[in-house]
Amino acid sequence: MRRPFFCFMAMMGVLTLSAQSVYENEVINNIMTRTSIRQYTNEPVSKADIETMLRAGMAAPTAVNKQPWHFVAVTNKEKLAELAGRRGMIKQAGVAIVVCGNLDKAMQGKAQEYWIQDCSAATENILLAAKALGLGAVWTGCYPMDDRVTEVSKVLKLPETIVPLCVIAIGHPAEQPTPKNKWKPENVSYNEFGGKAE
């Protein structure tokens, strides 16, 4: 009975998240201790790790399994510097994975916008895979900011139907920020808005 009680207490936010806290479940621990890493060492990211992260991205759920994405993995240092613009962490990264929506594979009409949710799910999978591999990563946004979309599209020579959602800078971490405890009970309702747990 102790383990279910521990899990229940953790879910209810009674346990405070800290750099030292360890959840019994590996997946939950990986989620709870993930942080945004913006400083990297010069050690390159292996091709095997890049493929693992891309596979994790493609394992994400998508609306009616459309998989409306395209990923551009950038490892060339000159290209990384060009891609960085005002985002210096990309220049330092061992790899940048640009998560794009492929509008040719997306649903039609208003439902086309589901590509944003699908690609966001893929992005989170990549971030968690990076953490699991001992790497550090940070999500930097592009879409819907027109100037950023144009800038990234130009650097990567993207066709009009490939829209960059974000650029994920990834590398071997040169910093170890403390994970934040983002649990806020006031952001949760049960059964209807403002409803309390029964």
Side-chain angles (χ1 to χ4, degrees):
M1 293 296 292
R2 296 187 66 184
R3 180 169 295 188
F5 177 76
F6 173 85
C7 293
F8 174 77
M9 296 297 278
M11 288 172 60
M12 294 306 292
V14 174
L15 301 179
T16 302
L17 180 64
S18 71
Q20 290 76 38
S21 68
V22 178
Y23 289 80
E24 290 184 35
N25 183 288
E26 230 178 285
V27 175
I28 299 298
N29 188 59
N30 192 52
I31 293 170
M32 294 300 204
T33 58
R34 189 207 64 79
T35 59
S36 293
I37 303 294
R38 296 174 173 83
Q39 300 291 328
Y40 314 104
T41 69
N42 291 324
E43 186 180 351
V45 177
S46 72
K47 289 182 180 179
D49 283 351
I50 293 171
E51 182 171 320
T52 296
M53 290 183 285
L54 291 170
R55 285 177 176 271
M58 292 185 198
T62 65
V64 295
N65 197 32
K66 282 290 188 179
Q67 303 175 40
W69 46 46
H70 188 88
F71 303 88
V72 181
V74 181
T75 56
N76 179 276
K77 285 297 182 184
E78 291 181 5
K79 186 68 77 171
L80 284 167
E82 193 179 355
L83 188 63
R86 297 180 296 274
R87 297 165 291 192
M89 74 285 286
I90 296 172
K91 188 185 297 185
Q92 299 175 13
V95 61
I97 296 179
V98 185
V99 181
C100 305
N102 185 340
L103 301 187
D104 289 331
K105 294 181 179 179
M107 298 174 72
Q108 298 300 307
K110 187 68 174 174
Q112 184 184 64
E113 296 298 306
Y114 281 133
W115 76 263
I116 300 167
Q117 297 175 43
D118 297 341
C119 289
S120 294
T123 299
E124 181 68 2
N125 274 15
I126 292 169
L127 293 172
L128 293 172
K131 172 73 165 58
L133 292 168
L135 299 169
V138 63
W139 177 337
T140 68
C142 292
Y143 186 86
M145 306 305 289
D146 291 339
D147 58 334
R148 295 184 182 187
V149 169
T150 300
E151 178 184 10
V152 171
S153 297
K154 182 178 179 181
V155 171
L156 300 181
K157 301 179 181 177
L158 302 178
E160 286 187 10
T161 56
I162 304 295
V163 183
L165 176 75
C166 63
V167 179
I168 309 171
I170 305 166
H172 292 271
E175 60 176 349
Q176 296 293 334
T178 301
K180 298 179 179 70
N181 180 3
K182 299 180 181 180
W183 169 251
K184 294 181 179 177
E186 65 270 25
N187 289 339
V188 180
S189 297
Y190 290 87
N191 301 313
E192 62 183 29
F193 186 79
K196 305 300 181 184
E198 295 177 356

